[in-house]
Protein backbone atom coordinates (compact mmCIF):
# COMPACT_ATOMS: atom_id res chain seq x y z
CA UNK A 1 0.00 0.00 0.00
CA UNK A 2 1.29 3.46 -0.92
CA UNK A 3 2.51 5.59 1.96
CA UNK A 4 -0.01 8.20 3.14
CA UNK A 5 0.62 11.77 2.12
CA UNK A 6 1.02 14.47 4.76
CA UNK A 7 -2.54 15.63 4.02
CA UNK A 8 -4.02 12.13 4.25
CA UNK A 9 -2.25 11.54 7.52
CA UNK A 10 -3.46 14.87 8.90
CA UNK A 11 -7.07 14.13 7.97
CA UNK A 12 -6.86 10.57 9.33
CA UNK A 13 -6.05 12.10 12.74
CA UNK A 14 -9.54 13.63 12.86
CA UNK A 15 -8.71 17.11 11.54
CA UNK A 16 -10.87 18.84 8.94
CA UNK A 17 -9.81 20.37 5.65
CA UNK A 18 -10.32 23.76 7.24
CA UNK A 19 -7.82 22.80 9.99
CA UNK A 20 -5.45 21.75 7.24
CA UNK A 21 -5.75 25.07 5.41
CA UNK A 22 -5.25 26.95 8.68
CA UNK A 23 -2.09 24.93 9.31
CA UNK A 24 -0.88 25.70 5.79
CA UNK A 25 -1.45 29.40 6.44
CA UNK A 26 0.55 29.15 9.66
CA UNK A 27 3.29 27.30 7.81
CA UNK A 28 3.54 30.00 5.16
CA UNK A 29 3.68 32.60 7.91
CA UNK A 30 6.43 30.63 9.61
CA UNK A 31 8.35 30.30 6.35
CA UNK A 32 8.11 34.04 5.75
CA UNK A 33 6.06 35.18 2.79
CA UNK A 34 8.75 37.47 1.42
CA UNK A 35 11.11 34.56 0.91
CA UNK A 36 8.70 31.91 -0.33
CA UNK A 37 9.65 31.05 -3.91
CA UNK A 38 7.31 32.28 -6.66
CA UNK A 39 4.41 29.93 -7.15
CA UNK A 40 3.10 28.40 -10.33
CA UNK A 41 -0.42 29.69 -9.81
CA UNK A 42 -1.89 29.35 -13.29
CA UNK A 43 -4.55 26.93 -12.08
CA UNK A 44 -5.66 29.17 -9.18
CA UNK A 45 -8.39 31.82 -9.41
CA UNK A 46 -6.96 35.15 -10.52
CA UNK A 47 -8.75 37.08 -7.74
CA UNK A 48 -6.66 35.43 -5.01
CA UNK A 49 -3.93 37.54 -3.44
CA UNK A 50 -0.32 36.40 -3.71
CA UNK A 51 -0.50 35.30 -0.07
CA UNK A 52 -3.56 33.14 -0.71
CA UNK A 53 -1.90 31.64 -3.78
CA UNK A 54 1.16 30.72 -1.74
CA UNK A 55 -1.06 29.07 0.89
CA UNK A 56 -2.84 27.06 -1.81
CA UNK A 57 0.49 26.06 -3.34
CA UNK A 58 1.73 24.83 0.03
CA UNK A 59 -1.54 22.93 0.56
CA UNK A 60 -1.19 21.32 -2.84
CA UNK A 61 2.37 20.23 -2.09
CA UNK A 62 1.37 18.69 1.25
CA UNK A 63 -1.54 16.88 -0.40
CA UNK A 64 0.87 14.97 -2.61
CA UNK A 65 4.05 14.61 -0.56
CA UNK A 66 4.74 11.71 1.78
CA UNK A 67 5.79 12.42 5.34
CA UNK A 68 9.45 13.32 5.79
CA UNK A 69 11.17 11.66 8.74
CA UNK A 70 13.07 13.94 11.09
CA UNK A 71 15.78 12.66 13.41
CA UNK A 72 16.44 15.07 16.28
CA UNK A 73 19.69 14.57 18.20
CA UNK A 74 20.48 16.30 21.50
CA UNK A 75 24.06 16.65 22.70
CA UNK A 76 25.54 19.26 25.11
CA UNK A 77 22.28 21.15 25.57
CA UNK A 78 19.70 22.19 28.16
CA UNK A 79 16.76 21.03 25.95
CA UNK A 80 15.58 24.65 25.93
CA UNK A 81 15.13 24.66 22.14
CA UNK A 82 12.92 21.56 22.38
CA UNK A 83 11.03 23.14 25.25
CA UNK A 84 10.50 26.31 23.20
CA UNK A 85 9.27 24.21 20.29
CA UNK A 86 6.46 22.81 22.37
CA UNK A 87 5.37 26.41 23.04
CA UNK A 88 5.30 27.30 19.36
CA UNK A 89 2.88 29.89 18.09
CA UNK A 90 0.21 27.72 16.54
CA UNK A 91 -1.10 24.39 17.85
CA UNK A 92 -2.05 23.41 14.31
CA UNK A 93 1.45 24.25 13.12
CA UNK A 94 2.89 22.05 15.82
CA UNK A 95 0.43 19.28 14.93
CA UNK A 96 1.49 19.52 11.34
CA UNK A 97 5.21 19.72 11.91
CA UNK A 98 5.62 17.41 14.89
CA UNK A 99 3.01 14.76 14.14
CA UNK A 100 2.52 14.83 10.40
CA UNK A 101 6.03 15.64 9.32
CA UNK A 102 7.12 12.92 11.68
CA UNK A 103 9.83 13.28 14.25
CA UNK A 104 11.00 9.70 14.46
CA UNK A 105 13.67 10.14 17.11
CA UNK A 106 13.81 12.72 19.86
CA UNK A 107 15.37 11.97 23.23
CA UNK A 108 13.06 14.32 25.12
CA UNK A 109 9.78 14.10 23.18
CA UNK A 110 9.72 10.47 21.99
CA UNK A 111 7.58 8.15 24.08
CA UNK A 112 9.99 5.25 23.55
CA UNK A 113 13.42 5.14 25.16
CA UNK A 114 16.57 3.04 25.46
CA UNK A 115 17.21 0.19 23.00
CA UNK A 116 13.75 0.56 21.49
CA UNK A 117 14.21 4.16 20.32
CA UNK A 118 17.82 3.55 19.25
CA UNK A 119 16.62 0.62 17.08
CA UNK A 120 13.93 2.85 15.58
CA UNK A 121 16.52 5.47 14.70
CA UNK A 122 18.68 2.88 12.94
CA UNK A 123 15.66 1.55 11.02
CA UNK A 124 14.61 5.04 9.87
CA UNK A 125 18.13 6.00 8.82
CA UNK A 126 18.40 2.81 6.75
CA UNK A 127 14.93 3.05 5.17
CA UNK A 128 15.11 6.77 4.35
CA UNK A 129 18.78 7.18 3.52
CA UNK A 130 19.31 10.45 1.66
CA UNK A 131 15.78 11.61 2.49
CA UNK A 132 15.49 12.29 6.20
CA UNK A 133 16.18 15.61 7.87
CA UNK A 134 18.62 15.73 10.75
CA UNK A 135 18.03 18.34 13.46
CA UNK A 136 20.80 18.80 16.03
CA UNK A 137 20.41 20.58 19.38
CA UNK A 138 23.47 21.14 21.57
CA UNK A 139 27.19 21.33 20.92
CA UNK A 140 29.54 18.44 20.18
CA UNK A 141 32.53 17.92 22.51
CA UNK A 142 35.77 16.78 20.86
CA UNK A 143 38.02 16.63 23.95
CA UNK A 144 38.82 13.25 25.57
CA UNK A 145 37.66 11.41 22.46
CA UNK A 146 34.16 12.76 22.96
CA UNK A 147 33.76 11.20 26.41
CA UNK A 148 32.01 14.31 27.78
CA UNK A 149 28.78 13.46 25.95
CA UNK A 150 27.66 9.97 25.05
CA UNK A 151 24.28 8.56 24.08
CA UNK A 152 23.68 4.82 24.13
CA UNK A 153 27.37 4.32 24.92
CA UNK A 154 28.55 6.18 21.81
CA UNK A 155 30.02 9.65 21.61
CA UNK A 156 28.08 12.63 20.28
CA UNK A 157 30.71 12.97 17.54
CA UNK A 158 30.17 9.38 16.43
CA UNK A 159 26.37 9.75 16.54
CA UNK A 160 26.47 13.02 14.61
CA UNK A 161 28.70 11.67 11.85
CA UNK A 162 26.57 8.56 11.46
CA UNK A 163 23.27 10.44 11.23
CA UNK A 164 24.71 13.21 9.04
CA UNK A 165 25.99 10.68 6.53
CA UNK A 166 22.51 9.67 5.37
CA UNK A 167 20.72 12.99 5.91
CA UNK A 168 19.35 15.10 3.08
CA UNK A 169 20.13 18.24 5.08
CA UNK A 170 21.01 19.23 8.62
CA UNK A 171 19.45 21.90 10.80
CA UNK A 172 21.51 23.07 13.79
CA UNK A 173 18.98 24.58 16.19
CA UNK A 174 20.08 26.85 19.03
CA UNK A 175 23.35 28.69 19.57
CA UNK A 176 25.06 25.57 20.97
CA UNK A 177 24.50 23.43 17.86
CA UNK A 178 25.20 26.36 15.55
CA UNK A 179 28.24 28.02 17.17
CA UNK A 180 29.09 26.03 20.33
CA UNK A 181 27.00 28.22 22.67
CA UNK A 182 27.52 28.15 26.44
CA UNK A 183 29.54 24.88 26.44
CA UNK A 184 32.08 26.54 24.12
CA UNK A 185 32.54 29.60 26.36
CA UNK A 186 36.06 30.22 27.63
CA UNK A 187 37.85 28.02 28.69
CA UNK A 188 35.72 25.55 26.71
CA UNK A 189 36.83 22.51 28.75
CA UNK A 190 35.14 19.97 26.48
CA UNK A 191 36.37 21.56 23.22
CA UNK A 192 32.72 22.05 22.24
CA UNK A 193 31.98 22.73 18.56
CA UNK A 194 29.00 23.59 16.41
CA UNK A 195 27.75 21.18 13.76
CA UNK A 196 29.17 23.07 10.80
CA UNK A 197 32.67 22.92 12.33
CA UNK A 198 32.46 19.15 11.95
CA UNK A 199 30.13 18.35 9.05
CA UNK A 200 31.46 20.05 5.96
CA UNK A 201 30.14 17.86 3.13
CA UNK A 202 26.39 18.45 3.72
CA UNK A 203 24.19 21.54 3.82
CA UNK A 204 23.96 22.77 7.42
CA UNK A 205 21.39 25.44 8.26
CA UNK A 206 22.03 27.36 11.47
CA UNK A 207 19.04 28.49 13.57
CA UNK A 208 20.92 30.13 16.46
CA UNK A 209 19.31 31.61 19.55
CA UNK A 210 19.18 30.76 23.23
CA UNK A 211 16.76 29.20 22.67
CA UNK A 212 16.13 29.23 18.94
CA UNK A 213 12.82 30.76 17.94
CA UNK A 214 10.65 27.66 17.38
CA UNK A 215 8.92 29.13 14.33
CA UNK A 216 12.34 29.55 12.72
CA UNK A 217 13.06 25.85 13.22
CA UNK A 218 9.65 24.59 12.12
CA UNK A 219 9.53 27.11 9.27
CA UNK A 220 12.87 25.86 7.95
CA UNK A 221 11.74 22.23 8.20
CA UNK A 222 8.50 23.15 6.44
CA UNK A 223 10.37 24.97 3.69
CA UNK A 224 12.45 21.89 2.99
CA UNK A 225 9.42 19.64 2.85
CA UNK A 226 7.28 21.89 0.68
CA UNK A 227 9.93 23.15 -1.72
CA UNK A 228 12.43 20.28 -1.56
CA UNK A 229 15.32 22.54 -0.64
CA UNK A 230 16.67 24.99 1.87
CA UNK A 231 15.72 28.66 2.18
CA UNK A 232 18.11 31.46 1.27
CA UNK A 233 20.88 31.73 3.86
CA UNK A 234 23.17 34.51 5.10
CA UNK A 235 26.94 34.26 5.51
CA UNK A 236 26.50 32.40 8.83
CA UNK A 237 24.10 29.88 7.19
CA UNK A 238 21.06 31.43 8.89
CA UNK A 239 17.80 31.67 6.91
CA UNK A 240 17.40 35.26 5.77
CA UNK A 241 13.67 35.00 6.48
CA UNK A 242 14.38 35.01 10.20
CA UNK A 243 17.84 36.59 10.42
CA UNK A 244 17.68 39.20 7.68
CA UNK A 245 17.40 42.22 9.98
CA UNK A 246 18.61 43.12 13.46
CA UNK A 247 16.56 43.03 16.65
CA UNK A 248 17.13 46.80 16.78
CA UNK A 249 15.47 47.24 13.38
CA UNK A 250 12.15 45.89 14.71
CA UNK A 251 12.44 46.88 18.36
CA UNK A 252 9.45 48.47 20.04
CA UNK A 253 11.85 50.71 22.04
CA UNK A 254 13.45 52.07 18.86
CA UNK A 255 11.61 55.41 18.97
CA UNK A 256 13.26 56.09 22.35
CA UNK A 257 16.64 55.23 20.89
CA UNK A 258 16.09 57.71 18.09
CA UNK A 259 14.94 60.32 20.63
CA UNK A 260 18.03 59.77 22.78
CA UNK A 261 16.02 58.48 25.76
CA UNK A 262 17.93 55.71 27.55
CA UNK A 263 17.41 53.80 30.80
CA UNK A 264 20.64 53.88 32.80
CA UNK A 265 19.68 51.41 35.53
CA UNK A 266 17.05 48.69 35.77
CA UNK A 267 14.90 50.63 38.19
CA UNK A 268 15.25 54.23 37.09
CA UNK A 269 12.49 56.35 35.62
CA UNK A 270 13.65 55.56 32.07
CA UNK A 271 13.31 51.82 32.72
CA UNK A 272 9.81 52.38 34.10
CA UNK A 273 8.90 54.42 31.02
CA UNK A 274 10.11 51.69 28.66
CA UNK A 275 13.05 53.66 27.25
CA UNK A 276 15.86 52.18 25.18
CA UNK A 277 18.17 49.69 26.94
CA UNK A 278 21.28 50.49 24.93
CA UNK A 279 23.14 51.97 27.90
CA UNK A 280 22.36 48.82 29.87
CA UNK A 281 24.29 46.76 27.34
CA UNK A 282 21.65 45.97 24.73
CA UNK A 283 23.16 44.24 21.71
CA UNK A 284 20.07 44.57 19.55
CA UNK A 285 21.86 46.80 17.01
CA UNK A 286 24.39 44.08 16.15
CA UNK A 287 22.18 41.01 16.61
CA UNK A 288 20.29 39.41 13.74
CA UNK A 289 17.16 37.58 14.88
CA UNK A 290 13.37 37.74 14.49
CA UNK A 291 12.44 37.84 18.18
CA UNK A 292 11.17 41.44 18.02
CA UNK A 293 8.70 40.33 15.32
CA UNK A 294 7.70 36.75 16.17
CA UNK A 295 8.35 36.81 19.95
CA UNK A 296 7.69 33.79 22.16
CA UNK A 297 4.72 31.99 23.69
CA UNK A 298 2.20 32.78 20.96
CA UNK A 299 3.61 36.26 20.43
CA UNK A 300 3.39 37.20 24.12
CA UNK A 301 6.77 38.85 24.67
CA UNK A 302 10.54 38.81 24.13
CA UNK A 303 13.48 39.88 26.32
CA UNK A 304 13.52 43.59 25.48
CA UNK A 305 9.74 43.89 25.84
CA UNK A 306 10.01 42.47 29.35
CA UNK A 307 12.78 44.89 30.30
CA UNK A 308 15.98 42.99 29.56
CA UNK A 309 18.66 44.06 27.09
CA UNK A 310 19.39 41.79 24.16
CA UNK A 311 22.39 39.56 24.91
CA UNK A 312 23.09 38.78 21.26
CA UNK A 313 22.09 35.15 21.65
CA UNK A 314 21.86 34.46 17.91
CA UNK A 315 25.42 35.55 17.17
CA UNK A 316 28.66 33.53 17.39
CA UNK A 317 30.66 33.82 20.59
CA UNK A 318 27.84 35.49 22.48
CA UNK A 319 28.88 34.27 25.92
CA UNK A 320 32.49 35.40 25.70
CA UNK A 321 31.54 38.51 23.78
CA UNK A 322 28.98 39.22 26.50
CA UNK A 323 29.86 42.11 28.72
CA UNK A 324 26.30 41.78 29.93
CA UNK A 325 24.85 44.90 31.50
CA UNK A 326 27.82 47.05 30.51
CA UNK A 327 26.62 50.12 28.71
CA UNK A 328 27.59 50.46 25.08
CA UNK A 329 29.87 53.46 24.69
CA UNK A 330 27.69 55.43 22.28
CA UNK A 331 24.63 54.68 20.18
CA UNK A 332 25.54 53.22 16.84
CA UNK A 333 24.95 55.45 13.89
CA UNK A 334 23.54 52.97 11.42
CA UNK A 335 20.74 53.48 8.93
CA UNK A 336 17.28 52.34 9.85
CA UNK A 337 15.55 49.94 7.52
CA UNK A 338 12.22 51.29 8.60
CA UNK A 339 9.43 49.85 10.70
CA UNK A 340 10.37 51.99 13.70
CA UNK A 341 7.41 51.84 15.98
CA UNK A 342 5.59 49.91 13.29
CA UNK A 343 3.84 46.61 13.33
CA UNK A 344 5.67 43.35 13.91
CA UNK A 345 5.90 42.53 10.24
CA UNK A 346 6.23 38.80 10.18
CA UNK A 347 3.56 38.17 12.76
CA UNK A 348 1.16 40.48 10.98
CA UNK A 349 1.91 38.88 7.63
CA UNK A 350 1.41 35.44 9.11
CA UNK A 351 -1.87 36.48 10.67
CA UNK A 352 -3.17 38.01 7.47
CA UNK A 353 -2.20 34.92 5.51
CA UNK A 354 -4.04 32.68 7.93
CA UNK A 355 -7.07 34.95 7.66
CA UNK A 356 -6.82 34.89 3.86
CA UNK A 357 -6.49 31.14 3.89
CA UNK A 358 -9.57 30.84 6.05
CA UNK A 359 -11.52 33.12 3.76
CA UNK A 360 -10.42 31.21 0.70
CA UNK A 361 -11.33 27.97 2.39
CA UNK A 362 -14.77 29.28 3.27
CA UNK A 363 -15.28 30.18 -0.37
CA UNK A 364 -14.27 26.68 -1.41
CA UNK A 365 -16.94 25.09 0.77
FE1 LIG B 1 15.73 48.15 21.31
FE2 LIG B 1 18.15 47.60 22.22
FE3 LIG B 1 17.87 48.97 19.94
FE4 LIG B 1 17.29 50.11 22.29
S1 LIG B 1 19.34 49.40 21.57
S2 LIG B 1 16.06 50.18 20.43
S3 LIG B 1 16.42 48.40 23.45
S4 LIG B 1 17.27 46.85 20.30
FE1 LIG C 1 18.31 36.60 21.99
FE2 LIG C 1 18.49 39.22 21.92
FE3 LIG C 1 16.38 38.06 20.99
S1 LIG C 1 19.17 37.88 23.57
S2 LIG C 1 16.14 36.31 22.30
S3 LIG C 1 18.41 37.82 20.16
S4 LIG C 1 16.40 39.93 22.18
Amino acid sequence: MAEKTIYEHFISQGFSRRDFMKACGALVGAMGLRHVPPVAASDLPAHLSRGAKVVHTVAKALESKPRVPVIWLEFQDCAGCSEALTRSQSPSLIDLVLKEISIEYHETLSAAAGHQIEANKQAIMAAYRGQYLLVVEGSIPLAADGAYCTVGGRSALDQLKEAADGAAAIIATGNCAAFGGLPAANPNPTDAKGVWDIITDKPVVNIPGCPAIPEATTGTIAHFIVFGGLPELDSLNRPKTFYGVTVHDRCLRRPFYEAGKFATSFDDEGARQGWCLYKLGCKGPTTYNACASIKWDAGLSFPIQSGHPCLGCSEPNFWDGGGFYQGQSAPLNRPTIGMVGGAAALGVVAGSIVATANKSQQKEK
Side-chain angles (χ1 to χ4, degrees):
M1 200 175 104
E3 202 173 339
K4 278 183 187 167
T5 66
I6 293 171
Y7 173 71
E8 288 167 343
H9 199 269
F10 192 76
I11 296 299
S12 73
Q13 302 293 306
F15 292 104
S16 66
R17 179 160 176 84
R18 177 176 290 192
D19 295 330
F20 177 71
M21 292 304 289
K22 272 190 196 172
C24 290
L27 271 184
V28 171
M31 286 189 284
L33 180 61
R34 284 180 304 127
H35 296 275
V36 170
V39 291
S42 53
D43 55 341
L44 294 174
H47 71 271
L48 291 181
S49 66
R50 180 175 187 273
K53 284 177 181 166
V54 173
V55 171
H56 279 269
T57 301
V58 168
K60 211 168 181 179
L62 296 182
E63 281 168 7
S64 60
K65 289 187 190 255
R67 300 165 77 210
V68 174
V70 173
I71 291 176
W72 189 301
L73 300 178
E74 285 181 76
F75 297 133
Q76 292 192 132
D77 74 327
C78 66
C81 295
S82 293
E83 173 70 17
L85 190 73
T86 65
R87 306 283 185 273
S88 191
Q89 195 155 347
S90 161
S92 56
L93 177 64
I94 278 297
D95 281 329
L96 195 68
V97 173
L98 290 190
K99 292 184 185 164
E100 313 317 316
I101 288 174
S102 186
I103 292 186
E104 296 286 353
Y105 179 96
H106 191 301
E107 284 172 34
T108 309
L109 299 178
S110 293
H115 295 299
Q116 193 184 26
I117 191 69
E118 293 300 325
N120 187 55
K121 184 177 79 169
Q122 293 297 334
I124 292 294
M125 289 194 303
Y128 292 91
R129 186 171 174 77
Q131 299 168 49
Y132 63 84
L133 269 180
L134 173 62
V135 180
V136 180
E137 181 179 354
S139 63
I140 301 94
L142 302 186
D145 287 331
Y148 287 104
C149 180
T150 62
V151 180
R154 295 169 56 204
S155 72
L157 180 64
D158 188 23
Q159 301 258 4
L160 171 65
K161 284 183 172 171
E162 177 191 58
D165 187 47
I170 303 164
I171 297 173
T173 186
N175 197 297
C176 299
F179 306 132
L182 173 61
N186 187 41
N188 191 1
T190 67
D191 194 17
K193 301 288 184 195
V195 174
W196 71 340
D197 294 321
I198 296 164
I199 306 298
T200 53
D201 60 348
K202 283 273 162 74
V204 176
V205 182
N206 287 327
I207 314 284
C210 191
I213 295 175
E215 283 77 11
T217 304
T218 52
T220 304
I221 294 173
H223 191 287
F224 180 84
I225 286 160
V226 172
F227 298 107
L230 297 172
E232 194 182 353
L233 306 178
D234 70 6
S235 61
L236 292 174
N237 282 15
R238 302 176 296 194
K240 285 186 177 175
T241 306
F242 305 104
Y243 299 90
V245 299
T246 64
V247 174
H248 185 67
D249 285 323
R250 299 278 190 263
C251 182
L252 77 173
R253 296 182 190 240
R254 180 69 178 267
F256 294 113
Y257 173 93
E258 300 294 342
K261 290 179 179 290
F262 300 98
T264 52
S265 78
F266 284 102
D267 58 357
D268 68 4
E269 186 56 23
R272 278 188 281 276
Q273 296 292 331
W275 291 359
C276 174
L277 303 172
Y278 191 80
K279 291 188 176 174
L280 290 171
C282 183
K283 294 189 169 49
T286 52
T287 302
Y288 287 80
N289 205 350
C291 36
S293 306
I294 299 178
K295 304 184 182 178
W296 270 272
D297 298 326
L300 182 68
S301 190
F302 77 110
I304 292 171
Q305 187 172 339
S306 54
H308 198 285
C310 172
L311 301 177
C313 78
S314 56
E315 298 296 325
N317 201 35
F318 96 98
W319 281 96
D320 290 336
F324 303 160
Y325 313 128
Q326 291 166 15
Q328 311 291 323
S329 53
L332 300 180
N333 186 20
R334 63 187 299 280
T336 173
I337 65 155
M339 288 296 294
V340 177
L346 195 52
V348 170
V349 169
S352 68
I353 292 169
V354 173
T356 309
N358 291 342
K359 269 191 210 155
S360 307
Q361 180 62 14
Q362 281 163 12
K363 279 183 190 162
E364 270 183 11
K365 286 194 163 188

